[in-house]
């Protein structure tokens, strides 16, 4: 009997396999751009027609191919990048399976022109549906141009599956952005239907890494991103993390620019994403998304590379420590930023160099604000009145305490090192005005604190600490109060009893649906127990959804909101300074746990501008 099993002809096998690699024009763009990067290109040009349907053409000035390679590169599993399975562990290139060009040539008309630097002539190879149509020498500049025409010309079903040009172009540009972000050293130009969409130079070889990436982000996403970026830099044993995160206040409701690169390859990872979200916890409202451009570098041996190359998932050998290092790096970056509100911390070369013995800011200083200062340097945690120095750090010589009419102090005539300035500073005046705002003049402007929000932040951190330690001080009520609760409230209180006790609420279940309040947290001792409990229960109900996920944070948030909501309208003057001191003693003074600002500052510049002083 004649055998039923037959080998598929090559071009059919290629077409089937191509489905894995080439889904749409964007896949072609990705593969060609990555090949150019792997070829060591310094300049890459991408030309598109009809979102890549009609033409995707990539030109590079990379190492090029000789005549034999120019033909071989279209064979399946033809690659110059690995020779043996062991090479996978040390792989640094984007491609390695040698499948992309074979797949593309199976489903499009491909015209390759390529010339190594050393050769006089280049080679042209024309392919169509996996078949060689032409091979001939051509005169050309060194490098490679691959034109891919009429994608899926031989598979109408696939062609019909493509979306509108607008959608396909969006996918194409996403792929382009990923490659462009990962390689700031390479210059790019993108032209679509004869219109130039992007043109960006590669960074100078000696450019600082951070500055180069910042420049690239600005080229891709616009000038306005410049002020939004907080630098990240962390290095431990096997792992180096660099890049930028977006400042919390620029987080958006829609998912913004979120990029992870591992060894310069774009990846997706919900695990790493979680580490970032956790680091932004409290700084960004739940339904907002911060931006990030983060680069992880580690020995390829610590990554499981044995995955499909067009997939963007990745496996780390030790994903827990990657998570921990990433989280810590971001907390540190955010902390540095928190301590450095833009008002006083812009490094001004003139002022900086006035500090004897301090290095002056280099001329090409990135727009990074006070990059080397860490929370522990100024330590508002250790010294709650640190905010006064914080805002005075680079001020003029100590002047008299300003009069109580809120007049701003005279601007700095010259600069003294911090130690001296600190020595005889009087305390800053603090005032409360209508609407629960606390105002305090600073030498370089003024600060307005939202009193309730400040309280919320302070109460939140206090509550969190108590929950972690499990022992909030409680002030015994003179007369224990019995309070009857609605059934669902009673159930909630019962469920959270240990935590509520840790917060300093001395509660006992009396029976039925009644609880006995024996004591309140010390700071709420003048409050009406029933009213406080009521507010707290309402807040806890609103956190129901998050209680299971992050119990302590949700309870602390509820407590903080209740304390803020029930605070006196007009606290005594002497409490105001204490409040501001305690705010600045917080770990994250600038935002409420829900991500709203607790204070804003006005610089002298801004005031001068408002008065049109010129
Ligand atoms: P892979 O990138 O996985 O090796 P490809 O099918 O993408 O497989 O490419 C096959 C080979 O063709 C590459 O290994 C490389 O040697 C060569 N090649 C492809 N594109 C270029 C280019 N732009 N410049 C120089 N060589 C290239
Ligand atoms: Mg490749």
């Amino acid at each position: 009997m004649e055998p039923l099993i037959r080998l598929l002809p090559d071009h059919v096998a290629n077409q089937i396999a191509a489905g894995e690699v080439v889904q749409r024009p964007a896949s072609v763009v990705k593969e060609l751009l990555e090949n150019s990067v792997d070829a060591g290109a310094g300049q890459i040009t991408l030309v598109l027609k009809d979102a890549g349907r009609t033409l995707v053409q990539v030109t590079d000035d990379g190492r090029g191919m000789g005549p034999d390679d120019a033909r071989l590169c279209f064979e399946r599993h033809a690659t110059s990048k690995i020779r043996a399975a062991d090479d996978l562990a040390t792989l640094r290139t984007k491609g390695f399976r040698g499948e992309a060009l074979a797949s593309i040539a199976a489903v499009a008309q491909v015209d390759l022109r390529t010339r190594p630097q050393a050769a006089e002539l280049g080679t042209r190879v024309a392919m169509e549906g996996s078949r060689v149509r032409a091979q001939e020498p051509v005169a050309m500049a060194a490098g490679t141009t691959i034109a891919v025409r009429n994608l899926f010309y031989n598979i109408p079903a696939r062609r019909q599956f493509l979306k509108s040009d607008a959608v396909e172009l969006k996918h194409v540009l996403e792929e382009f952005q990923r490659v462009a972000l990962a390689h700031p050293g390479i210059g790019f130009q993108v032209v679509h239907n004869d219109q130039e969409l992007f043109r960006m130079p590669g960074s100078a070889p000696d450019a600082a890494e951070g500055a180069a990436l910042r420049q690239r982000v600005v080229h891709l996403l616009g000038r306005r991103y410049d002020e939004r970026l907080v630098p990240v830099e962390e290095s431990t044993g096997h792992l180096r993390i660099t890049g930028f995160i977006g400042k919390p206040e620029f987080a958006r409701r829609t998912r913004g620019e979120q990029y992870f690169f591992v060894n310069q390859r774009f990846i997706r990872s919900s695990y790493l994403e979680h580490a970032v979200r956790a680091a932004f916890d409290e700084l960004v409202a739940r339904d907002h998304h911060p931006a990030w451009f983060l680069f992880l570098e580690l020995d390829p041996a610590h990554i499981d590379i044995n995955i499909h190359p067009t997939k963007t998932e990745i496996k780390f050998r030790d994903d827990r420590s990657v998570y921990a290092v990433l989280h810590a790096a971001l907390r540190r970056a955010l902390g540095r930023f928190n301590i450095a509100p833009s008002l006083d911390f812009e490094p001004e070369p003139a002022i900086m160099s006035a500090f004897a013995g301090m290095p002056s800011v280099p001329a090409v200083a990135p727009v990074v604000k006070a990059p080397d200062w860490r929370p522990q340097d100024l330590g508002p945690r250790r010294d709650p009145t640190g905010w006064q120095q914080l805002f005075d750090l680079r001020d003029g010589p100590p002047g008299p305490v300003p009069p109580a009419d809120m007049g701003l102090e005279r601007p700095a005539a010259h600069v003294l090192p911090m130690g001296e300035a600190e020595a005889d500073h009087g305390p800053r005046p603090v005032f409360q005005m209508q609407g629960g705002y606390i105002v305090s003049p600073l030498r370089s402007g003024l600060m307005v604190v939202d009193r309730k929000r400040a309280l919320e932040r302070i109460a939140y951190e206090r509550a969190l600490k108590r929950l972690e330690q499990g022992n909030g001080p409680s002030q015994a009520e003179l007369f224990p109060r019995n309070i009857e609760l609605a059934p669902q409230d009673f159930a909630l209180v019962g469920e959270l009893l240990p935590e509520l006790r840790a917060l300093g609420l001395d509660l006992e279940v009396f029976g039925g649906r009644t609880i006995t309040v024996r004591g309140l947290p010390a700071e709420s001792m003048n409050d009406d127990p029933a009213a406080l409990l009521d507010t707290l229960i309402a807040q806890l109900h609103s956190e129901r959804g998050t209680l299971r996920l992050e119990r302590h944070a949700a309870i602390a948030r509820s407590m903080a909101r209740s304390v803020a909501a029930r605070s006196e309208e007009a606290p005594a003057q002497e409490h105001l300074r204490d409040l501001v001191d305690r705010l600045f003693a917080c770990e994250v003074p600038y935002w409420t746990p829900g991500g709203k600002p607790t204070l804003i500052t006005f610089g002298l510049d801004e005031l001068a501008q408002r008065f049109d002083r010129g």
Side-chain angles (χ1 to χ4, degrees), residues 31-41 58-60 62-65 69 72-75 77-82 93-104 112 114 143-146 309:
E31 296 299 337
L32 297 188
L33 290 178
E34 290 189 349
N35 279 349
S36 294
V37 171
D38 284 346
V58 171
T59 302
D60 67 52
R63 73 178 61 89
M65 288 177 269
D69 282 348
L72 261 176
C73 70
F74 290 108
E75 294 292 330
H77 307 304
T79 178
S80 57
K81 296 166 194 173
I82 53 173
T93 55
K94 313 268 160 195
F96 61 89
R97 292 175 38 135
E99 255 175 349
L101 290 183
S103 299
I104 294 168
L112 162 73
T114 184
T144 302
T145 292
I146 302 189

Side-chain angles (χ1 to χ4, degrees), residues 550-572:
E550 24 163 29
R551 199 173 171 93
H552 280 183
I555 296 170
R557 260 195 310 270
S558 304
M559 186 64 186
R561 293 203 185 111
S562 311
V563 168
R566 299 199 48 74
S567 70
E568 294 170 61
E569 270 316 316

Side-chain angles (χ1 to χ4, degrees), residues 146-438:
I146 302 189
V148 176
R149 293 199 171 80
N150 304 319
L151 184 64
F152 300 136
Y153 79 101
N154 51 354
I155 318 180
R158 297 298 298 274
R159 206 165 57 230
Q160 276 156 24
F161 173 78
L162 295 179
K163 301 276 182 358
S164 69
D165 275 12
V167 171
E168 293 302 333
L169 186 64
K170 185 175 146 276
H171 288 292
V172 164
L173 294 181
E174 266 170 22
E175 294 294 352
F176 164 69
Q177 284 197 343
R178 291 169 190 170
V179 176
L181 280 171
H183 301 280
I186 301 177
F188 287 94
Q189 188 193 5
V190 180
V191 177
H192 178 235
N193 290 344
D194 299 322
Q195 211 190 337
E196 183 174 272
L197 301 185
F198 292 98
R199 178 199 285 272
M200 56 197 74
S203 59
D206 57 348
E209 196 179 22
L213 177 62
R214 183 184 282 275
Q215 190 65 261
R216 180 51 48 100
V217 171
V218 165
H219 272 132
L220 284 169
L221 302 173
R223 251 301 106 225
R224 64 189 197 288
Y225 269 80
D226 198 10
E227 51 150 354
R228 301 186 179 183
L229 304 177
V230 179
V232 177
E233 166 94 61
E234 192 80 53
S235 234
T236 65
H238 308 295
L239 177 61
R240 196 166 104 88
I241 301 176
T242 55
F244 294 98
I245 44 181
K247 290 181 186 170
E249 70 256 40
F250 293 109
R252 299 187 310 192
R253 253 175 223 288
T254 52
R255 256 163 200 280
E257 309 295 336
Q258 302 183 334
Y259 297 90
F260 289 115
F261 298 89
V262 172
N263 294 347
Q264 292 188 296
R265 181 199 292 268
F266 172 83
I267 61 137
R268 275 177 228 281
S269 162
S270 49
Y271 190 65
L272 295 186
E273 196 176 320
H274 191 276
V276 178
R277 289 299 315 201
F280 270 100
D281 181 37
E282 309 161 26
L283 299 181
V284 165
R286 228 151 272 280
D287 56 349
H288 280 55
H289 302 279
W292 64 78
F293 308 87
L294 291 168
F295 292 75
L296 284 70
E297 274 166 61
L298 65 174
D299 186 334
H302 290 261
I303 310 168
D304 194 351
I305 195 84
N306 203 6
I307 46 169
H308 196 288
T310 66
K311 293 238 172 72
T312 45
E313 282 85 28
I314 192 166
K315 270 209 185 100
F316 298 102
R317 293 276 148 84
D318 183 4
D319 52 2
R320 275 175 194 226
S321 65
V322 173
Y323 184 102
V325 173
L326 178 61
H327 184 264
L330 300 190
R331 282 312 284 190
R332 195 197 310 250
L334 286 166
R336 236 181 268 164
F337 161 65
N338 285 342
I339 201 94
S342 54
L343 183 62
D344 279 298
F345 284 67
E346 199 76 66
E348 290 163 50
I351 295 181
M352 291 299 278
S353 52
F355 285 88
M358 276 183 81
S360 62
V361 177
V364 286
V367 198
V368 176
K369 286 167 183 158
D372 296 330
W373 290 351
R374 310 224 161 137
Q376 55 267 37
D377 296 340
L378 285 171
R381 271 182 77 68
R382 275 182 268 135
D383 172 11
T385 57
W387 65 275
Q388 300 185 17
Q389 295 160 26
L390 189 86
F391 287 109
D392 283 346
L393 189 68
R394 286 190 280 97
D395 281 352
V401 176
D405 65 4
M406 281 180 50
L408 297 173
E409 291 165 88
R410 64 193 157 81
H414 62 280
V415 176
L416 290 182
M418 181 178 152
E420 264 172 80
E422 217 179 317
D424 48 359
H425 255 312
R428 291 260 170 257
V430 170
F431 310 89
Q432 172 153 260
M433 48 176 267
Q434 291 279 24
Y437 296 112
I438 302 172

Side-chain angles (χ1 to χ4, degrees), residues 352-598:
M352 291 299 278
S353 52
F355 285 88
M358 276 183 81
S360 62
V361 177
V364 286
V367 198
V368 176
K369 286 167 183 158
D372 296 330
W373 290 351
R374 310 224 161 137
Q376 55 267 37
D377 296 340
L378 285 171
R381 271 182 77 68
R382 275 182 268 135
D383 172 11
T385 57
W387 65 275
Q388 300 185 17
Q389 295 160 26
L390 189 86
F391 287 109
D392 283 346
L393 189 68
R394 286 190 280 97
D395 281 352
V401 176
D405 65 4
M406 281 180 50
L408 297 173
E409 291 165 88
R410 64 193 157 81
H414 62 280
V415 176
L416 290 182
M418 181 178 152
E420 264 172 80
E422 217 179 317
D424 48 359
H425 255 312
R428 291 260 170 257
V430 170
F431 310 89
Q432 172 153 260
M433 48 176 267
Q434 291 279 24
Y437 296 112
I438 302 172
V439 181
S440 178
L442 308 168
R443 242 178 246 243
S444 46
L446 66 91
M447 169 175 79
V448 183
V449 177
D450 183 314
R451 193 178 53 80
K452 288 209 167 184
R453 290 196 184 163
L455 261 176
E456 199 181 320
R457 162 54 61 182
I458 295 163
Y460 173 73
E461 295 201 2
R462 185 173 54 211
L464 258 192
K465 204 172 295 163
R466 286 178 183 170
L467 285 169
E468 267 143 37
Q469 296 167 351
N471 61 347
S474 175
Q475 190 84 26
E477 290 284 303
L478 216 43
F479 306 103
R481 281 272 301 269
N482 284 344
I483 301 173
E484 195 182 339
L485 299 174
Q488 69 275 26
D489 295 351
F490 184 77
L492 185 68
V493 169
E495 188 188 316
L496 299 177
L497 210 52
E499 282 93 349
L500 296 178
R501 282 184 182 145
L503 290 178
L505 281 155
D506 189 354
L507 304 177
E508 244 166 72
V509 176
F510 184 76
R513 298 180 338 224
T514 302
I515 55 163
T516 306
V517 183
R518 296 190 178 280
L520 292 182
E523 61 278 1
S524 303
M525 66 183 209
N526 295 327
D527 205 351
D528 169 22
L532 177 67
L533 205 60
D534 234 30
T535 317
L536 179 60
I537 287 172
Q539 288 296 339
L540 286 168
H541 276 302
S542 77
E543 291 277 358
R544 267 253 86 125
T546 43
L547 263 174
R548 276 160 44 97
L549 293 169
E550 24 163 29
R551 199 173 171 93
H552 280 183
I555 296 170
R557 260 195 310 270
S558 304
M559 186 64 186
R561 293 203 185 111
S562 311
V563 168
R566 299 199 48 74
S567 70
E568 294 170 61
E569 270 316 316
Q573 179 69 30
E574 69 263 27
H575 292 322
L576 295 177
R577 175 181 308 284
D578 179 53
L579 182 81
V580 179
D581 285 351
R582 281 191 295 142
L583 175 63
F584 279 92
C586 284
E587 199 137 5
V588 184
Y590 298 94
W591 287 277
T592 65
K596 297 221 172 89
T598 56

